[in-house]
Amino acid sequence: MPVREPTPLLARHPDLPRRLAAVAPGAKLLTRPAEWAPYACDGLTARRRRPGMVAVPADAGEVAAILRLCHALEVPVVPRGAGTGLSGGALPREDALVLSLARLDRILEIDPEARTATVEPGVRNLELGEAVAPFGLFYAPDPSSQVACTLGGNVAENAGGVHCLKYGLTVHNLLAVDLVLMNGETVRLGGGGLDGPGLDLLPVVCGSEGLLGVVTRLRVRLLPRPESVRVVLAAFDALRRAGDAVAAVLRAGILPAGLEMMDRLALRAVAAYLGPGYPECEALLLCELDGCAEEAEALAQRVARCFAEGGAVEIQVARTPEACRRLWAGRKAAFPAMGRLAPDYYVMDGTLPRHRLGEVLETIAALAREHGLAVANVFHAGDGNLHPLILYDAGVPQQREAAEALGRRILEACVAAGGTITGEHGVGVEKLDAMCIQFGRGELERFHALRRAFDGKGLLNPGKAIPTLHRCAELGGMHVQRGRLPHPELERF
């Protein structure tokens, strides 16, 4: 039976623009299709839909008023930040209102003594970093999209970045949020300290992908900028050796600020795009150590020895800020550089135990050959968060389908190795099927119950992040029917 298309929002509620203007007079209301083009997708550009309407409120009060009205009319709402997400978390629906937080973009307070900042969700990640730098502070989560992504979106996806290995993901640096529920009620979760009374619901909201509420204010933790930094570059003639070297560094009791890997294909793209001067090799590691000058230097020497013992064919140590920036510039530019290799690329995001890195990288290479597509690997090696970039041409019939099929196989390999289907990009619409691989009936029922506790009507970001049991059953249902995790290594946790 064919799937029935939803009734367009303005056909169902022709007076919605008038009613929204009455409760949120400062909001920009986009009602014409010509105005909707920028909202048709997020960073997952292969998936596009037409929104029913777009509202861009001016402040938190208008966010609450819009949600209250939509709740009364049972209008679905898709929250949206900067649209840099890579899993379709902000993909619109024709029967839904897109709620953009772009105008809530003020840094409200920087408290250097408490080492906190209070901001609105539309503040860009890099913007906050630049604002706190004069105080000798920094905000640790630094995703590659930090020049454009917003802090509200970082909370929705629990974003990480290059420095998450030592300093944590967004959830480890988030102190409090003001959360507007679908019924328009505002609740404050968290506080100014490291702990507080009651249930700790802040980690539940962080990474909830817009399903539980809309963040209108957040307080984050700031850290003192390290006195000294070293970056160790190591070139390897085999991916497996580089993966094993990552595990060796961590086994030695060293906790780098960042530990990243790029393979030959990614290095070739970066060389053509930016020319950072990386050596030619099969795999490149970048390891950042920080602390006082003596500590950073001693750690850099220990890491260099680990890399040499692991078979590195070339090692460099950057000791000046400019030299460190040069080495990191290529890694930060890796995603945009892929345009030099293919018209399109599909970014996967999975995690696995660090000691299985080398093995899974070899599996990815074998799967790429099987599907006839090239894969460039750029990822956070230190915490096992893979970002395989599958290169394809959307203009060639069946290549997009082949890329998505390869992506699913890569996620299956991550789960089989004891990992997960996502690290920081979220589930969105992209990984709904993969959720059925990882989780059984019991887990999925608990996810849905938690969502109902926040949004009983299921109006916030519908069809995202959590698959229905019916969907999993249609896909085969083996894990849902068993009601348990699918792999023995996962069952031990």
Side-chain angles (χ1 to χ4, degrees), residues 230-304:
R230 302 287 188 273
V231 176
V232 182
L233 173 152
F236 292 83
D237 58 8
L239 274 172
R240 184 69 175 257
R241 286 198 180 97
D244 292 344
V246 169
V249 167
L250 298 169
R251 276 199 307 270
I254 302 168
L255 183 60
L259 182 49
E260 302 286 300
M261 184 188 293
M262 291 183 283
D263 69 6
R264 177 179 286 278
L265 193 54
L267 292 169
R268 196 175 85 198
V270 168
Y273 181 74
L274 195 65
Y278 293 152
E280 290 190 15
C281 56
E282 290 299 320
L284 186 89
L285 293 179
L286 292 173
C287 183
E288 181 173 302
L289 298 311
D290 61 17
C292 66
E294 294 81 2
E295 178 187 17
E297 181 62 28
L299 288 172
Q301 293 302 320
R302 288 181 63 194
V303 167

Side-chain angles (χ1 to χ4, degrees), residues 108-119:
L108 301 173
E109 180 189 41
I110 297 172
D111 186 338
E113 293 186 4
R115 295 178 183 167
T116 64
T118 304
V119 303

Side-chain angles (χ1 to χ4, degrees), residues 20-311:
L20 285 171
V23 300
K28 296 183 184 298
L29 304 176
L30 310 181
T31 59
R32 296 179 298 169
E35 300 173 313
W36 296 340
Y39 301 91
C41 69
D42 57 12
L44 184 64
T45 56
R47 308 274 183 97
R48 293 177 180 271
R49 289 182 193 156
R50 175 174 167 167
M53 182 181 165
V54 179
V56 192
D59 55 39
E62 291 194 339
V63 171
I66 290 170
L67 289 177
R68 192 175 302 115
L69 177 62
C70 289
H71 183 263
L73 298 176
E74 297 193 351
V75 170
V77 175
V78 178
R80 180 184 173 95
T84 60
L86 292 166
S87 64
L91 186 69
R93 288 172 38 146
E94 200 166 0
D95 64 338
L97 174 78
V98 171
L99 181 66
S100 169
L101 284 300
R103 295 173 67 195
L104 278 71
D105 60 354
R106 295 177 300 160
I107 296 177
L108 301 173
E109 180 189 41
I110 297 172
D111 186 338
E113 293 186 4
R115 295 178 183 167
T116 64
T118 304
V119 303
E120 292 183 320
V123 173
R124 292 179 297 110
N125 181 288
L126 185 62
E127 181 183 0
L128 176 62
E130 292 172 342
V132 303
F135 300 99
L137 302 171
F138 76 105
Y139 178 61
D142 57 345
S144 295
S145 59
Q146 67 177 156
V147 66
C149 67
T150 58
L151 293 168
N154 291 172
V155 171
E157 303 296 336
N158 192 20
V162 166
H163 293 98
C164 66
L165 176 59
K166 182 174 183 178
Y167 296 110
L169 305 165
T170 298
V171 69
H172 305 113
N173 294 275
L174 184 65
L175 296 173
V177 298
D178 284 3
L179 186 75
V180 184
L181 305 180
M182 185 64 215
N183 63 6
E185 178 186 357
T186 299
V187 295
R188 178 162 294 176
L189 304 177
L194 293 177
D195 200 2
L199 295 176
D200 188 5
L201 293 177
L202 197 58
V204 173
V205 170
C206 193
S208 61
E209 302 191 39
L211 271 67
L212 305 183
V214 177
V215 172
T216 55
R217 178 186 296 223
L218 55 150
R219 179 178 295 145
V220 298
R221 178 176 66 142
L222 304 175
L223 298 172
R225 187 166 296 281
E227 174 188 315
S228 188
V229 172
R230 302 287 188 273
V231 176
V232 182
L233 173 152
F236 292 83
D237 58 8
L239 274 172
R240 184 69 175 257
R241 286 198 180 97
D244 292 344
V246 169
V249 167
L250 298 169
R251 276 199 307 270
I254 302 168
L255 183 60
L259 182 49
E260 302 286 300
M261 184 188 293
M262 291 183 283
D263 69 6
R264 177 179 286 278
L265 193 54
L267 292 169
R268 196 175 85 198
V270 168
Y273 181 74
L274 195 65
Y278 293 152
E280 290 190 15
C281 56
E282 290 299 320
L284 186 89
L285 293 179
L286 292 173
C287 183
E288 181 173 302
L289 298 311
D290 61 17
C292 66
E294 294 81 2
E295 178 187 17
E297 181 62 28
L299 288 172
Q301 293 302 320
R302 288 181 63 194
V303 167
R305 283 196 297 272
C306 284
F307 289 161
E309 292 167 2

